């Protein structure tokens, strides 16, 4: 015989499955519905709160720095982030406007700061992504993609060579590999190299030791900084940065990786240098790497019987640092670059970098 039922909601009910189910559904449905409604409302309120906070962060403007240099640093940081969000067509158009040299075999651009050449983790946009678009802008919608002939680091600006045909790209790559391409870089260093000209011949070790040789010459200097021209004889990864920092004890301004032997930390600058730059040490981490691929000299190739000198002006932030640090650029172009190439470089610096 079944036990008597109870009208008390919290008392367990014995009886047939059908009756138990009926009673359970009658008792539990209101509570489940209330709990679900409460959970839905809580989740909805939480989502609305998170959306409101996110929107507030987007609209909230950071405090405007009072120093002109700090404003330029803030602009540079914002510009670098924007490079990863810009539409590929926009980036390709900007690169096309700043072309330094173009012929039937090659296209030469002035690579902007903060833009990687190849893709990788965390990279949304790189130069190789926009080469098909750039080719179509220059040669029509049926044009084949341009090809990379070499690479520069993300933080390095300056001369970058592209080729129309894969075979020409391979030929130029072979010239780089066999060290037939003369390369000149400009950099601003913290402290002044001693002696003012010489050769650094120190192996660079990553997974194994690689022979690395760099010629250097001080073009202008003060007590605490210098404009230095570098001519790498070899092409080891980060060779110039390592040689200047650990070989000459004069790290590149804005090199936050190789400025300290023992740790990876923002570059430490003297009070005098910080004062000239108008920065506090806490803001030094925003200083960009001041390393610029100034010139490439390609030997005769294919139908071209003469060597080709390609010159790019540094970006505006580089020139402004020179001015702040009382450093002078050479009065004349000592590299023999043509006037048209320099004009194109100046336009590129204005369009693609702060």
């Amino acid at each position: 015989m079944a036990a008597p039922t109870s009208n008390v909601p919290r008392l367990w009910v014995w009886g047939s499955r059908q009756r138990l189910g009926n009673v359970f559904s009658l008792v539990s449905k209101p509570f489940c519905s209330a709990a679900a409604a409460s959970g839905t409302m809580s989740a909805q309120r939480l989502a609305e709160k998170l959306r409101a906070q996110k929107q507030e962060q987007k609209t909230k403007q950071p405090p405007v720095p009072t120093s002109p240099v700090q404003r330029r640093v803030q602009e540079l940081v914002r510009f670098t982030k924007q490079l990863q969000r810009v539409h590929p067509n926009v980036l390709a158009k900007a690169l096309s406007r700043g072309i330094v040299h173009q012929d039937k075999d090659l296209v030469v651009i002035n690579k902007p700061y903060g833009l990687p050449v190849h893709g990788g983790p965390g990279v949304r946009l790189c130069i190789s992504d926009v080469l098909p678009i750039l080719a179509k802008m220059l040669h029509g919608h049926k044009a084949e993609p341009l090809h990379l002939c070499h690479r520069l680091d993300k933080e390095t600006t300056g001369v970058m060579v592209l080729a129309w045909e894969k075979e020409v790209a391979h030929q130029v790559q072979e010239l780089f590999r066999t060290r037939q391409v003369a390369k000149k870089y400009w950099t601003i260093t913290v402290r002044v190299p001693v002696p003012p000209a010489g050769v650094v011949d120190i192996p660079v070790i990553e997974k194994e030791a690689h022979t690395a040789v760099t010629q250097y010459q001080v073009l202008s200097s003060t007590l605490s900084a210098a404009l230095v021209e570098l001519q790498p004889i070899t092409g080891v990864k980060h060779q110039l940065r390592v040689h200047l920092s650990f070989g000459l004890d004069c790290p590149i301004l804005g090199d936050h990786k190789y400025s300290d032997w023992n740790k990876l930390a923002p570059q430490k600058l003297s009070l005098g240098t910080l004062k000239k730059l108008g920065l506090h040490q806490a803001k030094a981490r925003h200083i960009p790497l001041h390393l610029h691929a100034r010139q490439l000299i390609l030997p005769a190739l294919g139908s071209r019987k003469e060597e080709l000198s390609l010159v790019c002006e540094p970006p505006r932030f580089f020139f402004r640092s020179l001015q702040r640090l009382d450093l002078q650029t050479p009065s004349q172009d000592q590299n023999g670059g043509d006037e048209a190439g320099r004009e194109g470089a100046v336009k590129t610096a204005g369009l693609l970098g702060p």
Side-chain angles (χ1 to χ4, degrees):
M1 188 175 86
T5 60
S6 170
N7 293 325
V8 180
R10 294 186 181 181
L11 183 63
W12 190 261
V13 180
W14 291 306
S16 65
R17 290 183 180 179
Q18 183 63 35
R19 189 175 181 184
L20 177 62
N22 291 341
V23 174
F24 182 75
S25 63
L26 288 172
V27 173
S28 63
K29 275 185 178 180
F31 288 109
C32 292
S33 300
S38 176
T40 303
M41 291 300 294
S42 298
Q44 184 177 356
R45 283 195 295 270
L46 179 60
E48 291 173 352
K49 183 177 180 180
L50 291 174
R51 282 195 294 268
Q53 290 176 348
K54 189 174 182 180
Q55 186 62 31
E56 183 181 356
Q57 290 175 355
K58 285 183 179 180
T59 57
K60 186 178 181 181
Q61 297 294 330
V64 178
T66 56
S67 166
V69 176
Q70 289 179 340
R71 287 199 295 269
R72 294 301 300 169
V73 169
Q74 191 178 81
E75 289 173 12
L76 185 66
V77 173
R78 185 170 62 251
F79 170 76
T80 304
K81 293 178 179 178
Q82 288 173 348
L83 281 175
Q84 291 299 304
R85 297 194 296 266
V86 72
H87 192 280
N89 289 354
V90 175
L91 177 57
K93 187 66 174 179
L95 293 176
S96 71
R97 289 174 178 169
I99 288 174
V100 175
H101 172 85
Q102 183 179 182
D103 58 34
K104 67 182 185 65
D105 294 320
L106 305 175
V107 174
V108 181
I109 62 173
N110 190 347
K111 179 190 169 298
Y113 175 84
L115 184 66
V117 175
H118 298 287
V123 175
R124 296 182 181 180
L125 187 63
C126 59
I127 289 180
S128 60
D129 289 338
V130 302
L131 293 184
I133 304 171
L134 180 59
K136 288 178 171 59
M137 287 181 175
L138 299 177
H139 273 192
H141 68 280
K142 293 184 179 180
E144 294 295 322
L146 285 156
H147 302 275
L148 292 167
C149 296
H150 62 117
R151 60 159 294 166
L152 292 173
D153 290 338
K154 174 182 175 181
E155 297 86 1
T156 304
T157 59
V159 184
M160 169 153 277
V161 182
L162 312 171
W164 286 109
E165 302 293 337
K166 184 177 291 187
E167 180 59 32
V168 175
H170 288 164
Q171 293 175 14
V172 176
Q173 289 166 4
E174 184 65 13
L175 293 176
F176 276 95
R177 190 188 68 81
T178 55
R179 304 175 186 174
Q180 297 184 58
V181 179
K183 296 174 282 187
K184 293 184 180 180
Y185 288 74
W186 278 7
T187 186
I188 298 176
T189 62
V190 178
R191 297 183 290 275
V192 183
V194 178
V199 177
V200 181
D201 185 354
I202 300 175
V204 175
I205 300 176
E206 190 173 14
K207 294 182 180 178
E208 57 184 24
H210 298 276
T211 300
V213 181
T214 303
Q215 294 181 353
Y216 72 92
Q217 178 182 358
V218 175
L219 301 179
S220 176
S221 65
T222 62
L223 292 176
S224 59
L227 171 63
V228 182
E229 183 176 83
L230 305 169
Q231 297 185 50
I233 307 303
T234 56
V236 181
K237 181 180 178 181
H238 292 179
Q239 168 184 325
L240 301 179
R241 298 166 67 176
V242 171
H243 277 178
L244 282 169
S245 184
F246 302 147
L248 295 172
D249 192 30
C250 297
I252 297 174
L253 180 64
D255 190 343
H256 307 293
K257 182 173 184 178
Y258 293 106
S259 291
D260 193 290
W261 278 95
N262 302 312
K263 60 183 178 180
L264 186 64
Q267 187 177 57
K268 293 288 186 181
L269 298 175
S270 68
L271 292 177
T273 299
L274 289 170
K275 184 177 180 180
K276 286 184 176 181
L277 294 174
L279 295 173
H280 299 292
Q281 180 59 52
K283 299 295 183 182
R285 66 184 184 277
H286 296 305
I287 298 176
L289 183 73
H290 287 62
L291 179 61
H292 176 72
R294 165 70 173 171
Q295 181 183 26
L296 289 180
I297 302 177
L298 297 176
L301 180 68
S303 59
R304 180 167 43 80
K305 304 303 181 183
E306 299 178 351
E307 68 179 22
L308 180 62
S309 176
L310 304 164
V311 179
C312 282
E313 292 294 327
R316 284 186 292 174
F317 76 82
F318 195 104
F319 277 121
R320 294 198 179 196
S321 295
L322 288 174
Q323 293 171 357
R324 283 275 177 171
L325 295 170
D326 299 321
L327 297 171
Q328 305 295 322
T329 56
S331 57
Q332 296 181 349
D333 185 2
Q334 301 174 352
N335 301 307
D338 59 80
E339 193 66 30
R342 287 196 295 275
E343 289 179 359
V346 171
K347 292 178 182 178
T348 304
L351 284 168
L352 295 180

